[in-house]
Amino acid sequence: MSETEQFLTNITKKAKSLCRHIVLPEGEDQRMVDAASMASKEKMAIITMLGDAQSITSKLEEAGAAMDMINVVNPADSPKLQEYAEEFYQLRKKKGIDMSKAEQAVKDSMYFGTMMLKQNDADGLVAGAVHSSADTIRPALQIVKCAPSVNTVSSMFFICRGEETYLFSDCGLNLNPTPEQHADIALATANTARQFSIKPRIAMLCYSTKGSGLGPDVDAMQEATKAAKEKLSSEFEGDYDIDGELQLDAAFVPEVAAKKAPESPLDGKANVFIFPDLCAGNIAYKLAERMGGMSAYGPILQGVAKPVNDLSRGCSARDILATIAITAIQGEK
């Protein structure tokens, strides 16, 4: 087994034990068909695929999918359409939507799939292979909304190699987080780590280690570290370590940590990396993947009331399969 397959193997095993119901709104895309076929054969999840039922079914049968694990639904023909339209109208009528527009909206696969979550007809949603991030996330925020007490929806990536697993955040959503938003992101990513049986060892990253550098960005990450420590102390359930502001080498290399941050509780063994802004986070995960030869699974959304995950439009079927498994685990009750 190659190193890049280990994380997928681990999450597949856990997803199989949960057997959640995951909806794929972009059912006509061949990558979605291939991923659904693999998931069905592994009995990883019950899958609902949205789109042209005849076309999707034909593709699934050609791929050898286990059809007893897959439902195929055309939103326009679904007996659930009226129920979803009425609920969507109730949710959005204060925004000026009328019943006719609500009916039209839920015929769209993204909105129909998100309404499945809202009405407890599915446990999670995976999309983004065809739709933009905005078109994937917007229905979730309109319909499912944020989880209770969450003020900041964020994204993260699992960065993996062999037995190593790291969490990078925020790499795909928040442009320039405030200290308070950084605290929210740190808490959300710690919770994600816990869901996947990883003790979070959180590094609040910067170009400075413990005041070695100066500037407004250093000040901001020092404030963010203080806010994150307070938030985790009061809201996180479980064991964790956190420190900042730290340069990456001081957070990750024990020999460097001993020199630059000898009092750090991380001891150069961080596994959760909170980046100062979207630019740094996005570049970092792509460097790890493209130059470092690591596997990057994500972006995974955090802070939505029910699991909704946004794929890269350049994703492969294996990327989708991994995201199905991750989404199933996020939906663990």
Side-chain angles (χ1 to χ4, degrees):
M1 179 178 294
S2 70
E3 288 186 337
T4 57
E5 291 178 317
Q6 188 60 56
F7 179 72
L8 182 58
T9 299
N10 292 342
I11 59 177
T12 297
K13 182 178 179 180
K14 184 165 185 179
K16 286 171 67 173
S17 73
L18 298 170
C19 199
R20 297 292 180 227
H21 184 178
I22 307 300
V23 58
L24 307 179
E26 300 161 331
E28 294 175 47
D29 186 90
Q30 187 62 48
R31 293 165 296 172
M32 287 289 182
V33 171
D34 292 341
S37 178
M38 288 187 282
S40 70
K41 292 173 188 176
E42 292 276 358
K43 298 192 181 300
M44 180 192 292
I46 299 166
I47 303 291
T48 291
M49 304 186 74
L50 304 181
D52 183 283
Q54 184 175 351
S55 173
I56 295 169
T57 300
S58 177
K59 290 178 180 179
L60 286 168
E61 290 174 347
E62 186 176 338
M67 296 303 294
D68 61 327
M69 297 293 292
I70 302 177
N71 307 307
V72 182
V73 176
N74 185 339
D77 298 336
S78 170
K80 290 280 189 176
L81 185 65
Q82 196 59 38
E83 173 193 332
Y84 291 174
E86 175 62 32
E87 179 63 21
F88 185 66
Y89 166 71
Q90 294 297 330
L91 289 169
R92 302 296 293 172
K93 63 183 179 181
K94 291 183 179 178
K95 299 292 184 179
I97 194 170
D98 59 26
M99 192 61 195
S100 175
K101 290 180 179 178
E103 290 174 352
Q104 192 62 35
V106 297
K107 288 180 182 178
D108 178 87
S109 63
M110 289 302 307
Y111 279 87
F112 188 93
T114 310
M115 285 304 307
M116 288 182 67
L117 295 189
K118 176 68 175 177
Q119 298 300 91
N120 296 315
D121 293 328
D123 298 309
L125 180 148
V126 175
V130 177
H131 291 80
S132 69
S133 293
D135 288 339
T136 301
I137 297 169
R138 185 185 306 109
L141 296 181
Q142 289 178 348
I143 296 169
V144 179
K145 304 184 185 300
C146 294
S149 77
V150 170
N151 298 315
T152 305
V153 174
S154 59
S155 72
M156 57 75 60
F157 278 80
F158 288 101
I159 305 295
C160 309
R161 180 173 54 206
E163 297 297 325
E164 301 172 75
T165 300
Y166 306 102
L167 288 74
F168 284 18
S169 189
D170 188 340
C171 303
L173 200 57
N174 292 284
L175 187 59
N176 288 297
T178 65
E180 292 75 21
Q181 288 173 323
H182 269 125
D184 290 339
I185 293 166
L187 175 62
T189 312
N191 282 327
T192 298
R194 182 184 59 188
Q195 281 185 305
F196 289 80
S197 303
I198 298 168
K199 175 189 171 181
R201 297 173 59 82
I202 306 160
M204 308 294 287
L205 296 180
C206 190
Y207 61 78
S208 166
T209 295
K210 300 294 185 177
S212 66
L214 300 174
D217 291 338
V218 176
D219 296 340
M221 285 310 289
Q222 289 173 344
E223 290 181 43
T225 300
K226 180 181 178 181
K229 287 180 176 179
E230 292 174 354
K231 196 168 191 71
L232 268 77
S233 176
S234 62
E235 298 184 33
F236 183 73
E237 297 179 5
D239 193 16
Y240 68 93
D241 294 308
I242 183 171
D243 202 14
E245 88 287 6
L246 294 171
Q247 292 164 288
L248 179 63
D249 55 358
F252 186 65
V253 182
E255 295 80 4
V256 176
K259 295 177 181 178
K260 289 188 174 183
E263 303 300 320
S264 174
L266 299 178
D267 294 322
K269 298 176 183 177
N271 57 11
V272 175
F273 300 93
I274 307 300
F275 291 90
D277 56 33
L278 182 59
C279 187
N282 193 270
I283 291 169
Y285 100 76
K286 290 182 185 293
L287 279 171
E289 180 181 26
R290 302 299 182 180
M291 294 179 70
M294 304 184 81
S295 297
Y297 297 103
I300 305 302
L301 291 185
Q302 305 177 131
V304 182
K306 294 189 177 182
V308 174
N309 283 315
D310 173 37
L311 299 160
S312 164
R313 278 175 281 179
C315 66
S316 67
R318 287 180 62 80
D319 294 331
I320 298 169
L321 183 67
T323 307
I324 290 171
I326 290 166
T327 305
I329 295 167
Q330 285 182 305
E332 185 177 6
K333 297 175 176 64

